[in-house]
Amino acid sequence: MYIMYRTTDDGSKYASAAVSHRDGAKTSITYTYLGRVLDEKAGIYQNAKRGVFKFDPKTNTFSDTDASYVPPKRPDRRKTEHVSVDFGDAWFLNQFLLKSGFMKVVDSIGYGNPDTLHSMLLFYMLSNLSNCDAIHWYEGNITRLLYPNANMTSQRISDFLKAIGTDEKRFMFQKAWISYVFGNYSKDQNILVDSSGLPNGIHMPYTQWSNHGGKVEQEVRLIFVVQRSTGLPLFFKAVPGNIVDISTLERVLLYVKALGIDVESCIIDAGYNSGDNLDLFYDENHQCKINFITRLKSNDKRLTDMIDEELSTLHEKDNFVEYDDRYLFIKKKQINAGSKENNPAWMYLGLDCARLSDEQNKLMKRAVKDKLDKFQVFEAMKTDGLFGLISGREYSCEEILPAYYQRQAAEQIFDFAKNYTKLLPLRTNTPETFRGHLLLAYIAACAVKMLQMRLKTADLYFGSRMEILRNLKCEVFSSCILTDTPQALVRETYEAVGIECPPSLDIENGRLKYKVPSEETQKKTPSGETETSSEQKAGTPKKRGRPKGSKNKKTLENKAMDRSSQPQIQASNTTDQARGSKSVEIQDRESKFYW
């Protein structure tokens, strides 16, 4: 076997592997097309079928190239002097990730080509395109000058996802991320555990038929562990869709313990509620070692018994509470929980007045439609608006709902992952690439949550602001880039995070030349909560001049006139609120109990 080469007019070299055959006096040659020659000496080639690969003619074998290998780029034959590309969103996001120190956490994965890793992270946060179109996004975005050595072809992306999808890479990131959260945000070890389905039709072991809440579909179950005080995710795990939530809690708690998290309390949904799982929160002396709150299913015998016993007195004045502009009746009693019902716990029976009204209106319509008799209507009305909770420690009736509703943070992380990263739809074909896709989407969700927390201090929403920043373009010349003049909303967003939008940047050896921002430090209060600087609290960089409140009357009048002459800014704020953030939608959904 030997290699045959041919050179095209533009100087590109292509190769084929030739094998000679002899049949008596006749000889013949068969050819295996290898594609474009990237490195003749090392035997590295590229074609549409295999992507970038190595071929050894002595053994007639194909193999993958090292992740750190960067293929030479084709010469740019475009005749235009300069091109315009997207700038505002990628520059803003990249500067934030560098400034926060998060890029160092990402690099803990140890992938051989960090340019590919960083570019793919930005792609997962800023684009809805499929991975096979990543190269088109890359070429039209400033990312190609931020990270010029990235391999963004679809074949190399599959190799990249496979390389980072190993258990070793996943745990390397998770350990570094937990250390980062505890060191920069909060050491809080109170957690929320929740899961969500990833529907898909991919033929792989993770995809199985699932019956979740009466909905049957093929899916993967994704489990998140979230820090209660910050809402930041601490751990994730994917399991086949046919594994029910109730059987995963013990292993999830063991995983987080192995990662160095000594859980102090845990809030779980009704899907995790079972006698065996509640036993996990008690020691051998039946003392609650890990405080917990969980919701009861509507058919739980303890709930139905309490309804029969306490419903007649539930509407008394002493049981009336107010929570978040809602009014409820809540009554509690002490019970025994666990597989042997020998662990002391507290049970709460609640009646949501607003929910009661909604459910009864729906029941009246259904009674007419389905021709229910009065006895069927009466039985259905008995449980309308009712819910039950169990806790390992005693809360007052006013405290239990604020404590339980902290689980909204877990719902918000699923929302970020599904709407602001490329988690869904799943576009991978093998378990190996799926695991890499899942890790990258998780990393992107962590970054989105961090940025959302920062923007929230200035009352800005992540989704709408990224769309606005995308409209800021830049023109690329041979030695520099020139950015467009940012509009008011763009300046406002940049200032809220303390990032500068430069008018121009030099290009050196195909890469943008800029000063990497210094990392911010987060101050902590004695309770462990993150305390931002006064600059961050204001949402804008600290300005020189008089302190707030010391302006004279004329200055205040001039500023009022300036604000009234900028209707577009007021309209933009209205647009932001109209679009809303997904976290607001989550709160609306979570403001009612669902069985």
Side-chain angles (χ1 to χ4, degrees), residues 193-354:
V193 181
D194 206 354
S195 70
S196 182
L198 307 179
N200 69 93
I202 304 171
H203 297 292
M204 61 180 179
Y206 285 101
T207 299
Q208 299 293 333
W209 287 102
S210 170
N211 184 352
H212 192 77
K215 188 176 182 180
V216 179
E217 59 184 347
Q218 294 186 82
E219 66 177 21
V220 179
R221 295 300 296 175
L222 178 61
I223 304 169
F224 272 162
V225 174
V226 178
Q227 190 178 50
R228 188 191 299 184
S229 62
T230 63
L232 290 166
L234 297 177
F235 172 79
F236 81 99
K237 184 174 179 60
V239 298
N242 59 354
I243 296 180
V244 295
D245 291 341
I246 201 171
S247 63
T248 62
L249 182 62
E250 181 177 10
R251 287 175 175 80
V252 167
L253 294 178
L254 291 174
Y255 269 114
V256 297
K257 184 177 182 180
L259 289 169
I261 302 175
D262 189 12
V263 178
E264 297 176 2
S265 70
C266 180
I267 298 179
I268 53 178
D269 200 10
Y272 295 96
N273 187 355
S274 71
D276 290 334
N277 282 344
L278 296 188
D279 287 338
L280 299 173
F281 303 119
Y282 291 86
D283 60 21
E284 61 276 5
N285 297 320
H286 308 293
Q287 297 295 317
C288 186
K289 60 180 181 180
I290 301 176
N291 183 38
F292 68 92
I293 304 177
T294 182
R295 186 167 55 88
L296 289 166
K297 295 181 180 179
S298 60
N299 60 353
D300 192 293
K301 187 176 185 301
R302 291 166 295 185
L303 178 60
T304 56
D305 288 346
M306 189 172 182
I307 290 175
D308 293 337
E309 296 169 4
E310 308 291 346
L311 186 59
S312 59
T313 58
L314 182 61
H315 293 80
E316 293 179 356
K317 181 180 179 181
D318 292 341
N319 302 326
F320 195 56
V321 300
E322 181 182 4
Y323 169 67
D324 195 21
D325 298 328
R326 295 161 54 205
Y327 296 96
L328 307 95
F329 292 94
I330 298 179
K331 197 169 186 179
K332 68 177 180 180
K333 72 173 184 178
Q334 191 166 13
I335 63 168
N336 290 321
S339 58
K340 297 181 180 179
E341 296 188 356
N342 54 1
N343 298 314
W346 290 86
M347 181 173 171
Y348 299 80
L349 174 65
L351 174 64
D352 187 334
C353 299

Side-chain angles (χ1 to χ4, degrees), residues 48-104:
K49 181 179 180 181
R50 295 180 178 272
V52 179
F53 61 93
K54 297 180 70 173
F55 177 74
D56 185 357
K58 295 181 180 179
T59 59
N60 191 23
T61 56
F62 297 87
S63 61
D64 294 332
T65 58
D66 187 81
S68 60
Y69 174 74
V70 180
K73 296 185 180 295
R74 291 177 179 268
D76 191 353
R77 296 187 294 273
R78 290 174 293 190
K79 302 300 182 181
T80 55
E81 181 182 357
H82 64 272
V83 294
S84 178
V85 298
D86 294 340
F87 175 82
D89 53 354
W91 173 260
F92 172 83
L93 194 55
N94 186 68
Q95 290 292 94
F96 171 78
L97 297 181
L98 290 172
K99 189 175 182 179
S100 63
F102 184 72
M103 277 300 193
K104 290 184 178 179

